[in-house]
Amino acid sequence: MSRIAARFEKLKAENRKAFVAYVMAGDPDEETARQVVCGLPGAGVDIIEVGLPFTDPMADGPTIQLAGQRALEGGMTLDGTLDTVRALRKSDDETPVVMMGYYNPIYSRGVETFLEQAKDAGVDGLIVVDLPPEEDEELCLPALEAEIDFIRLATPTTDDARLPKVLQNTSGFVYYVSITGITGAGAADASKVAPEVARIKSATDLPVIVGFGIKTPEAARDISAVADGCVVGSAIVERIGKGESVDDVLAYVRSLADGAHSA
């Protein structure tokens, strides 16, 4: 059983929802980012998303874009991102790690080589936002063969005709984007999210995790109450970008995790 599947089994047995946190590798610098990542499990995070910085993050809002720029300016690379995961694995071999980013750095490395390195580092899943289902042969299917989950995003514009295509090779969980547009924009509305989550769950047995627009413990609770859990990224990254200490960032993450777990 994969770490992701095992974590959802554990959460189900405990009757709890999942809290997923996103941080950018190398932001604001390599060492601080590693301290944050390694502190996330202790702050109540069930699954960690580690961002792979890229020069043209077309799906990301200003907060994540700036984080990627800071990371790249500080010298963060694909290898450095994998080293961040390795650092976590020295103290934690159970918390699932999902690498989130864009295809170009992976393509440049070579899919087979990348998957071998990712598996060796301890990566459990991938979210690659610029590879649609029509391109599954590029990375999705090879990743599944390498026993790395390929997590797909569904959005408010994913209609019933498109949904089966989105789900066909998805594994680990489905990431439902609660609002249209880029990361960090707007606020998630549980009353609007609930029917969409129900629609997706009627078509798959995979857990559905909701992201975008969640900034408070109350929002984490409300969204998790209508889904299998929630993701927070921009709100955490914003605090990192403002120069908050690792302890303060992790305290904020803990408040969000407690909110999600209270659903």
Side-chain angles (χ1 to χ4, degrees), residues 61-244:
T63 299
I64 303 296
Q65 287 186 25
L66 289 171
Q69 290 174 14
R70 291 191 296 266
L72 291 170
E73 289 169 0
M76 181 50 54
T77 62
L78 174 55
D79 289 328
T81 303
L82 292 173
D83 285 342
T84 298
V85 180
R86 291 189 180 95
L88 171 71
R89 290 290 173 235
K90 291 179 180 178
S91 60
D92 186 308
D93 195 44
E94 293 185 0
T95 303
V97 174
V98 175
M99 183 179 289
M100 184 171 186
Y102 297 83
Y103 185 45
N104 185 277
I106 297 170
Y107 176 80
S108 297
R109 177 60 50 93
V111 168
E112 183 176 350
T113 299
F114 166 75
L115 291 173
E116 289 175 358
Q117 293 174 341
K119 188 74 173 178
D120 176 73
V123 173
D124 304 292
L126 298 173
I127 299 175
V128 182
V129 297
D130 54 347
L131 278 181
E134 287 76 12
E135 305 295 336
D136 276 357
E137 295 81 4
E138 287 283 335
L139 180 61
C140 174
L141 296 180
L144 295 178
E145 290 176 8
E147 298 183 335
I148 295 177
D149 285 318
F150 200 87
I151 296 145
R152 194 84 68 188
L153 275 63
T155 74
T157 60
T158 305
D159 61 18
D160 289 341
R162 180 65 174 170
L163 185 60
K165 188 71 173 178
V166 170
L167 295 174
Q168 70 178 10
N169 290 316
T170 298
S171 63
F173 60 90
V174 179
Y175 187 138
Y176 178 67
V177 177
S178 63
I179 54 178
T180 56
I182 54 177
T183 59
D189 183 338
S191 66
K192 294 180 180 178
V193 167
E196 291 300 299
V197 170
R199 181 171 67 93
I200 296 168
K201 290 182 73 67
S202 71
T204 180
D205 293 329
L206 292 171
V208 179
I209 304 298
V210 177
F212 286 45
I214 301 168
K215 302 176 182 179
T216 66
E218 293 75 21
R221 177 199 64 213
D222 293 347
I223 293 297
S224 294
V226 300
D228 295 301
C230 71
V231 186
V232 178
S234 293
I236 297 170
V237 171
E238 183 176 19
R239 289 173 178 254
I240 293 171
K242 289 179 178 178
E244 289 193 11

